C-alpha cells in the first residue's frame, strides 16, 4: 500500500491569503493512500525541508506531494530533500497552489476547494510513480563559441583559461564585433579598442582556442556532450599560411571606392581589404562580388603586387567538422537603418549611432573629427534622436533597446569635446540610465557639457539649403520646436544579427517574434536554452550593454565548465521510450520532435537477418516535451513519469469532487 506524505506551504501569505491551508491539510489527510499531511509557513526553508526528511523516516513514506509554488521554482529543492532521506527523488511531486490557485482565485472558498483538488490529483500520480535513475552519456569536453564579438571572446577566453579547448567561429574576416567599431565606452570613456584589441590578440595566440574567421556554422548534429558541428570556411582567395599581412595587395587594387562595412558606410575600402588596422587575423580577403577579376575575368593586380605569392583566385570554400560538447551562441546585434521612418527623409547628413561612432573614432574615416557626410564640414549643431524605432510598435519594435539613452549621452559629450563651440540637442522619450554611475553620467552631459535635452518626439526632418530642419515638440513645456541642424544622429533600434534565426533553428533554440534567442527561464536559467548544452551570451538574447554582456559571457563559461566537470554527462530521466513490440514504424515522432531525438533502430534475429525497423528515442537528446507521445498513432511511446496510467489516475482523482 502506498504511504504518501502531503506537505502544504503557506508561502508566507502568497498561498495562505486566499487558501485555508490548515483545512486543506486536514482534508488531504483523508485522501486514500495519504499517511501524513501537514502545513508550514515556508516549506522550502531549511526547517521545512527537515520536516519532510523526518516524516519520510518516521512514517515510512513511499511518496511525497509538496503543495507550494511552481515546480520551475523549487522542484529540484524538494527532490534533493527527499533524496536526502533515502527516497528516490522522482517519487516527489509538486502541486502548484500559488500560480494555479491562490494567485488566480480571489474567492477563498473556491481557492481552498481547488487546492484540495490539485493535491488529490498529484497524490494519485505519485502513487504510480516509478523510481528513476539519471541518464549518463559520454561527453566531449570541448566547446564551440559562435560569434567573435566581446561576448564570444570573453566566453572563449574564460573556458580556455580554465583548461578546456574552444572552437571560436566568426563569420566576418576579423573578430572584434561591434565593440571594435566604438570610440569610447560609457560611463568611464575608456578607449574601446584599447580594451578590445589585446583580448583579440589573446584569442588568436591562445593554445587552447581554434579560431575560424570568415566562417559560418553549416550544420549541427548530435546532442549535449556530443555535438558534431560542420563549419563552412569561406574562401578568402588568400593563402593564410603564406600571407604576412603587408598590405601591398590592397594598395594596388583599382576598386577603392567600396563602402566599408567596418566604418558603417562612412569610409571606403578596396575590393581586397583588411577590415581595420587592428584586425585579428590581420589578413586580407577578396570581396568577390566587387573584384574585377571575379566579375570580368581580368585584372590580377593584387596577385602581381603580392611579394609572397599568396593570392589564390581558385580557392574554394571548405567544410570542417568539429566534435564539441557544448555550444555558446554569441552572434551579437545589428541596428535598424535610418530609412525606417519616411518622414525623416533620406539624407546623407541623417546617420545612425554606429555611423557616428566611426566618425568619432581615432581609427575612423575622419581620424576622429566629426564631419558631415554631405560636404565634409564640421557640424556646428547636432540633433540626437533617441528611440528612433525602439518602443514604437507601429513601425519599429515595441521593446526598449536598452543602450540608446547612454550611448546618445556619450555621443553628445564626445561631440562637445571635439567641437567646443558646437551645440548638441537630444530628443528623448524617457531617460533610462539604470546602470552603475549611468545616471550621474547623463547629468554630467546636461550640466557640464551643455547638451539640451528635449522630452518629445521628432515629427519631421527635411533639408532647407545647407542645413536640416528638425521639427518636434517639447512635452514638458508644451511647445512646438524647430531646430536647424548640420547633422542628425538617430539612435535606431537594436535588432538581432541577420541570419541568427536560421542559426537558432540549426541549434534547436527557440526565439521570440523579433528574432532574439529565448532563454530556458528568465530568472533561474538566464544563460541556458531549452536545448541542453546550448547557452546564450550577449545581445543575441536581448539588447544589453558591455558590462552585462561580459557578465553573461562569464556565466555561459561557468555553465560550460560545470557541464565539463564530470567524466560523464548526467541527464534527467524524464524522457520518452518506445515499445518496440507495438511500434508500426510510421516515424511521425521523428517528424514532430524539435530536438531530433527519434532514430531508426534495426531489429535483427540471431542470424543477423533484418526483421524490421522501429523508432528509438535517443535519451541523450530527448528533452521530455512529450510531442512524440501524443503523435504516436499506435500508442507505442510513453514519457517516463507521465504515463497513460498516471494521466488517467489524475483524471479519476477528480471524480469525488
Amino acid at each position: 500500500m502506498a504511504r504518501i506524505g502531503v506537505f502544504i506551504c503557506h508561502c508566507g501569505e502568497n498561498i495562505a491569503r486566499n487558501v485555508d491551508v490548515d483545512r486543506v491539510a486536514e482534508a488531504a489527510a483523508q485522501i486514500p493512500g495519504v499517511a501524513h499531511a501537514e502545513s508550514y509557513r515556508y516549506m522550502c526553508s531549511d526547517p521545512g525541508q527537515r520536516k519532510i526528511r523526518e516524516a519520510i523516516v518516521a512514517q515510512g513514506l513511499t511518496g511525497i506531494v509538496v503543495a507550494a509554488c511552481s515546480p520551475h521554482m523549487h522542484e529540484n529543492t524538494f527532490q534533493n530533500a527527499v533524496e536526502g532521506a533515502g527516497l528516490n527523488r522522482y517519487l516527489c511531486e509538486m502541486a502548484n497552489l500559488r500560480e494555479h490557485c491562490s494567485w488566480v482565485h480571489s474567492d477563498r472558498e473556491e481557492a481552498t476547494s481547488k487546492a484540495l483538488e490539485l493535491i488529490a490529483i498529484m497524490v494519485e500520480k505519485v502513487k504510480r510513480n516509478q523510481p528513476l535513475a539519471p541518464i549518463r552519456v559520454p561527453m566531449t569536453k570541448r566547446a564551440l563559441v559562435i560569434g567573435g564579438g566581446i561576448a564570444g571572446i570573453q566566453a572563449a577566453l574564460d573556458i580556455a583559461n580554465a583548461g578546456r579547448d574552444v572552437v571560436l567561429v566568426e563569420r566576418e574576416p576579423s573578430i572584434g564585433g561591434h565593440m571594435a567599431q566604438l570610440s569610447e565606452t560609457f560611463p568611464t570613456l575608456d578607449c574601446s579598442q584599447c580594451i578590445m584589441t589585446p583580448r583579440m590578440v589573446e584569442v588568436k595566440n591562445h593554445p587552447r582556442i581554434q579560431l575560424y574567421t570568415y566562417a559560418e556554422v553549416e550544420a549541427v548534429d548530435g546532442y549535449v556532450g556530443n555535438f558534431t558541428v560542420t563549419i563552412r570556411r569561406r574562401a578568402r582567395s588568400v593563402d593564410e599560411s603564406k600571407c604576412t599581412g603587408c598590405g601591398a595587395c590592397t594598395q594596388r587594387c583599382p576598386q577603392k571606392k567600396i563602402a566599408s562595412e567596418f566604418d558603417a558606410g562612412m569610409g571606403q575600402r578596396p575590393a581586397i581589404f583588411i577590415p581595420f588596422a587592428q584586425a585579428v587575423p590581420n589578413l586580407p580577403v577578396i570581396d568577390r562580388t566587387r573584384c574585377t577579376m571575379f566579375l570580368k575575368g581580368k585584372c590580377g593586380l593584387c596577385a602581381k603586387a603580392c611579394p609572397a605569392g599568396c593570392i589564390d583566385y581558385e580557392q574554394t570554400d571548405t567544410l570542417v567538422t568539429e566534435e564539441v560538447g557544448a555550444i555558446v551562441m554569441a552572434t551579437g546585434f545589428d541596428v535598424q537603418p535610418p530609412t525606417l521612418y519616411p518622414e525623416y527623409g533620406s539624407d546623407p547628413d541623417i546617420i545612425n549611432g554606429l555611423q557616428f561612432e566611426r566618425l568619432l573614432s581615432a581609427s575612423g574615416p575622419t581620424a576622429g573629427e566629426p564631419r558631415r557626410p554631405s560636404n565634409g564640414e564640421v557640424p556646428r549643431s547636432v540633433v540626437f534622436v533617441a528611440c528612433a524605432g525602439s518602443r514604437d510598435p507601429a513601425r519599429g519594435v515595441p521593446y526598449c533597446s536598452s543602450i540608446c539613452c547612454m550611448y546618445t549621452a556619450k555621443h553628445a559629450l564626445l561631440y562637445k569635446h571635439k567641437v567646443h563651440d558646437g551645440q548638441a540637442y537630444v530628443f528623448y522619450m524617457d531617460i533610462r540610465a539604470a546602470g552603475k554611475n549611468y545616471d550621474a553620467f547623463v547629468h554630467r552631459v546636461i550640466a557640464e557639457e551643455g547638451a539640451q535635452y528635449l522630452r518629445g518626439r521628432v515629427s519631421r526632418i527635411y533639408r532647407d539649403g545647407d542645413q536640416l530642419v528638425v521639427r518636434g515638440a517639447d512635452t514638458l513645456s508644451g511647445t512646438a520646436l524647430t531646430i536647424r541642424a548640420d547633422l542628425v544622429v538617430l539612435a535606431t533600434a537594436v535588432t538581432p544579427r541577420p541570419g541568427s534565426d536560421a542559426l537558432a533553428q540549426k541549434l534547436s533554440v527557440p526565439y521570440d517574434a523579433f528574432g532574439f534567442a529565448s532563454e530556458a527561464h528568465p530568472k533561474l536559467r538566464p544563460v541556458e536554452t531549452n536545448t541542453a548544452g546550448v547557452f546564450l551570451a550577449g545581445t543575441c538574447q536581448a539588447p544589453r550593454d558591455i558590462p552585462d554582456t561580459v557578465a553573461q559571457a562569464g556565466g555561459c563559461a561557468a555553465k560550460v565548465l560545470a557541464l565539463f566537470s564530470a567524466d560523464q554527462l548526467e541527464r534527467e530521466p524524464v524522457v520518452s521510450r518506445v515499445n518496440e513490440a507495438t511500434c508500426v514504424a510510421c516515424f511521425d515522432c521523428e517528424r514532430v520532435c524539435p530536438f531530433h531525438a527519434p532514430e531508426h533502430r534495426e531489429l535483427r534475429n540471431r542470424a543477423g537477418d533484418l526483421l524490421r525497423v522501429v523508432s528509438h528515442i535517443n535519451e541523450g537528446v530527448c528533452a521530455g516535451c512529450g510531442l512524440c507521445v501524443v503523435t504516436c498513432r499506435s500508442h507505442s511511446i510513453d514519457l517516463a513519469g507521465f504515463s497513460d496510467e498516471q494521466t488517467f489516475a489524475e483524471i479519476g482523482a477528480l471524480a469525488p469532487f
Side-chain angles (χ1 to χ4, degrees):
M1 294 291 292
R3 293 184 59 80
I4 309 301
V6 177
F7 299 87
I8 305 164
C9 181
H10 294 232
C11 198
E13 292 185 353
N14 277 300
I15 294 174
R17 183 184 296 112
N18 289 333
V19 175
D20 188 340
V21 291
D22 293 329
R23 181 146 59 97
V24 170
E26 292 175 6
Q30 306 305 314
I31 298 174
V34 174
H36 178 82
E38 66 174 298
S39 66
Y40 186 67
R41 186 171 295 275
Y42 294 106
M43 198 61 72
C44 60
S45 66
D46 185 61
Q49 294 180 54
R50 192 183 311 121
K51 284 179 176 290
I52 295 174
R53 291 193 295 268
E54 290 173 351
I56 290 172
V57 176
Q59 303 286 339
L61 302 179
T62 61
I64 299 296
V65 173
V66 180
C69 56
S70 166
H72 286 290
M73 186 70 70
H74 283 309
E75 183 176 49
N76 191 57
T77 300
F78 293 118
Q79 285 181 337
N80 288 338
V82 166
E83 197 170 46
L87 197 63
N88 186 279
R89 63 189 291 112
Y90 298 100
L91 300 178
C92 172
E93 294 289 348
M94 288 190 70
N96 189 347
L97 300 194
R98 190 177 71 177
E99 285 84 348
H100 288 178
C101 192
S102 67
W103 278 3
V104 293
H105 296 292
S106 57
D107 186 283
R108 188 173 178 83
E109 283 301 315
E110 289 185 357
T112 300
S113 176
K114 183 177 179 180
L116 185 57
E117 292 177 7
L118 293 174
I119 291 172
I121 288 171
M122 299 317 296
V123 167
E124 292 305 316
K125 181 178 188 298
V126 80
K127 284 180 183 179
R128 293 157 178 82
N129 278 17
Q130 296 295 321
L132 301 175
I135 299 167
R136 291 180 171 83
V137 294
M139 178 167 45
T140 302
K141 298 185 179 182
R142 194 166 184 242
L144 169 70
V145 177
I146 308 173
I150 182 59
I153 286 175
Q154 184 68 44
L157 286 174
D158 284 350
I159 297 169
N161 288 336
R164 299 298 180 189
D165 291 338
V166 179
V167 178
L168 177 58
V169 177
E170 168 58 47
R171 72 176 181 181
E172 298 298 331
S174 169
I175 58 174
H178 284 307
M179 188 173 171
Q181 295 176 278
L182 306 183
S183 175
E184 282 88 4
T185 60
F186 58 79
T188 54
L189 298 182
D190 303 89
C191 170
S192 180
Q193 289 204 5
C194 295
I195 300 171
M196 192 64 170
T197 51
R199 287 183 169 269
M200 293 162 59
V201 174
E202 187 179 353
V203 165
K204 183 178 183 299
N205 295 332
H206 203 292
R208 286 195 172 273
I209 297 179
Q210 173 65 59
L211 177 61
Y212 294 117
T213 56
Y214 210 48
E216 295 184 76
V217 173
E218 184 86 358
V220 179
D221 296 308
Y223 52 94
V224 56
N226 297 273
F227 293 108
T228 300
V229 182
T230 303
I231 301 167
R232 178 176 293 276
R233 302 190 66 188
R234 294 156 59 195
R236 282 180 176 264
S237 303
V238 173
D239 189 334
E240 298 181 37
S241 63
K242 297 179 182 178
C243 183
T244 61
C246 67
C249 55
T250 65
Q251 301 298 318
R252 290 293 305 276
C253 181
Q255 299 289 342
K256 294 184 179 294
K257 295 186 177 181
I258 302 169
S260 168
E261 295 83 0
F262 183 77
D263 286 328
M266 293 290 98
Q268 296 178 332
R269 62 162 174 82
I272 181 169
F273 65 101
I274 297 174
F276 55 104
Q278 299 82 17
V280 173
N282 201 264
L283 301 173
V285 60
I286 294 180
D287 181 353
R288 296 188 174 191
T289 64
R290 303 295 185 90
C291 176
T292 306
M293 189 68 179
F294 286 95
L295 295 177
K296 299 181 179 180
K298 57 182 179 180
C299 181
L301 291 179
C302 56
K304 295 174 184 177
C306 180
C310 58
I311 304 299
D312 182 4
Y313 299 118
E314 303 300 322
Q315 194 178 76
T316 60
D317 293 359
T318 57
L319 296 177
V320 179
T321 300
E322 297 284 0
E323 304 289 335
V324 298
I327 300 173
V328 176
M329 184 176 173
T331 50
F333 71 96
D334 208 342
V335 292
Q336 290 181 329
T339 54
L340 180 70
Y341 288 83
E343 64 268 32
Y344 292 170
S346 179
D347 193 283
D349 289 334
I350 301 177
I351 62 177
N352 63 35
L354 198 55
Q355 291 172 317
F356 195 61
E357 285 282 353
R358 295 310 302 150
L359 296 181
L360 293 172
S361 175
S363 64
T366 59
E369 187 174 16
R371 291 188 175 275
R372 301 175 67 184
S374 62
N375 56 21
E377 294 180 358
V378 175
R380 298 299 167 186
S381 62
V382 179
V383 171
F384 298 93
V385 182
C387 294
S390 301
R391 303 170 66 192
D392 186 354
R395 281 172 297 176
V397 294
Y399 55 81
C400 171
S401 289
S402 179
I403 59 175
C404 310
C405 288
M406 289 305 300
Y407 79 62
T408 296
K410 180 193 72 172
H411 286 167
L413 180 145
L414 294 178
Y415 167 70
K416 288 289 291 181
H417 283 188
K418 293 174 182 291
V419 184
H420 302 298
D421 59 342
Q423 180 60 54
Y425 303 90
V426 179
F427 280 91
Y428 70 100
M429 290 176 62
D430 302 290
I431 299 176
R432 298 186 171 186
K436 184 176 181 179
N437 297 324
Y438 284 10
D439 191 56
F441 182 84
V442 174
H443 282 288
R444 171 189 169 188
V445 173
I446 298 171
E448 297 181 17
E449 305 300 337
Q452 291 192 28
Y453 269 66
L454 307 167
R455 188 178 186 275
R457 286 279 199 178
V458 171
S459 60
R460 188 182 174 201
I461 305 173
Y462 60 91
R463 179 168 287 278
D464 182 17
D466 193 41
Q467 286 190 307
L468 295 170
V469 178
V470 181
R471 308 191 76 173
D474 183 349
T475 59
L476 295 179
S477 63
T479 58
L481 297 173
T482 299
I483 299 173
R484 300 185 70 86
D486 297 323
L487 186 67
V488 174
V489 182
L490 305 180
T492 51
V494 171
T495 60
R497 288 294 294 270
S500 59
D501 54 348
L503 176 62
Q505 292 173 17
K506 293 175 184 176
L507 298 174
S508 298
V509 171
Y511 51 92
D512 62 23
F514 313 106
F516 289 110
S518 299
E519 65 279 6
H521 192 285
K523 296 181 179 66
L524 303 180
R525 300 172 65 193
V527 301
E528 299 173 71
T529 70
N530 286 329
T531 299
V534 180
F535 306 93
L536 304 175
T539 49
C540 69
Q541 182 191 18
R544 50 175 45 91
D545 59 16
I546 294 171
D548 284 351
T549 295
V550 171
Q552 191 183 25
C556 280
K559 288 291 184 181
V560 170
L561 294 170
L563 184 67
F564 291 169
S565 62
D567 292 331
Q568 287 186 316
L569 177 64
E570 187 174 288
R571 297 205 61 206
E572 290 286 314
V574 182
V575 296
S576 296
R577 293 186 174 89
V578 178
N579 182 348
E580 296 178 350
T582 59
C583 176
V584 297
C586 65
F587 299 113
D588 284 345
C589 54
E590 186 177 6
R591 285 184 279 274
V592 301
C593 180
F595 305 100
H596 310 293
E599 301 172 344
H600 293 199
R601 169 175 281 184
E602 296 180 348
L603 299 183
R604 298 178 180 273
N605 59 21
R606 292 183 178 180
D609 301 322
L610 178 64
L611 299 177
R612 61 194 184 98
V613 178
V614 297
S615 180
H616 171 74
I617 304 297
N618 186 328
E619 295 183 344
V621 181
C622 180
C625 69
L627 273 176
C628 58
V629 178
V630 298
T631 303
C632 181
R633 63 183 69 188
S634 62
H635 306 290
S636 300
I637 306 178
D638 250 342
L639 182 63
F642 297 90
S643 65
D644 289 347
E645 181 188 6
Q646 289 173 303
T647 303
F648 286 123
E650 291 180 64
I651 297 171
L654 295 175
F657 299 95

